[in-house]
Amino acid sequence: MKFKDLHVSVFGAVMGIAGLGLALRAAAPLFPGVVRAPAYVSEPVVLLGVLALAILLVCYAIKIFRFPGEVKQDLTNPATLGFCAAMPVGVTLVAGGLAPYLPVLSSILWWIGCLGLAALQVWGAVRCLDGMVPLDKLNAGWLILVVGGIVVPGGGFGVGEAEAARFFFGASACGAVLLLPVLLARAALAGPLPQALRPTWFILLVPPSLIYAHGLAFYPRAPFLESLYFAALLACAGLAFYARRFWRWPFGPAWWAFTFPLDALAYAATRYAQDHPAELWRGVAAVTLAL
């Protein structure tokens, strides 16, 4: 791929890989006979996420200097603007992965990612208020932008920034309430997405999964949040049926949209199985991790 064609959405790879590493790390106590210790399974995946971030940051920096016009297009095209948030969100996930080893660097990275996400959220809001985002250009990638703050507690807990993480989580959780109905209206009224973008519908798994999992961490006396986990499981079944012929869809960066949403669901399933120690829920957690 040429640097000119390197779209910022490719940072979804960082989200998918680092998110898998963090989900495996969280699942280690749940499956002691399989995931013997985090160092054997989760940490190599976390390392792959770190390497992916480092390589892609260098490549995208080259694009910024050589093709600034293309970078501007990434930030102004309403069909692709939402995916720009994959970069700062991926940085926060990598920060969480590095937290046990490099706490100072991890804290710096986490704050850079959070502040970058906040800046993009403000930019996206301005574009919407200016009428620059028509309904038919909306896609599930906008969830990364508007709802990305529900992801950052995964790294925030690791770097000791729980209160700041609660701020970003709360703001983005409110954004989910506003955006999800709009996306469903877009699906019903504006026609199907192009086949190349159809994997992005899996991003719909992220809000219920992480609002449940991280929400209970902040508000342990809100067990009604468990209903969101059930909704995520049902949504996963529907999306799996929707994508039953996914191999016919054109392969491209949007396929990374399969990965982090399933990571988020696996993390939520692990959290639920830990709170409800029954073989059924442990089995569900195992299936989601396998997916």
Side-chain angles (χ1 to χ4, degrees), residues 12-164:
V14 179
M15 293 180 61
I17 298 170
L20 176 60
L22 294 177
L24 289 168
R25 184 185 285 176
L30 194 63
F31 303 102
V34 179
V35 186
R36 294 176 55 196
Y40 292 117
V41 178
S42 63
E43 304 314 281
V45 180
V46 170
L47 178 60
L48 284 176
V50 174
L51 293 175
L53 177 64
I55 292 169
L56 290 176
L57 283 176
V58 171
C59 292
Y60 201 75
I62 293 173
K63 178 178 177 178
I64 290 173
F65 285 107
R66 293 185 60 187
F67 307 102
E70 298 296 327
V71 175
K72 182 179 179 181
Q73 178 69 12
D74 288 347
L75 290 167
T76 55
N77 185 346
T80 57
L81 173 56
F83 296 102
C84 293
M87 181 191 294
V89 173
V91 170
T92 68
L93 290 167
V94 167
L98 291 175
Y101 311 105
L102 299 168
V104 175
L105 175 62
S106 298
S107 181
I108 293 171
L109 285 175
W110 187 82
W111 275 107
I112 289 173
C114 288
L115 294 177
L117 174 62
L120 284 172
Q121 288 175 329
V122 171
W123 172 242
V126 170
R127 299 286 293 179
C128 288
L129 293 174
D130 282 342
M132 303 298 291
V133 185
L135 182 63
D136 64 342
K137 295 297 183 182
L138 275 179
N139 53 63
W142 274 77
L143 283 170
I144 308 174
L145 177 65
V146 177
V147 190
I150 67 172
V151 179
V152 303
F157 295 142
V159 301
E161 296 289 356
E163 191 61 23

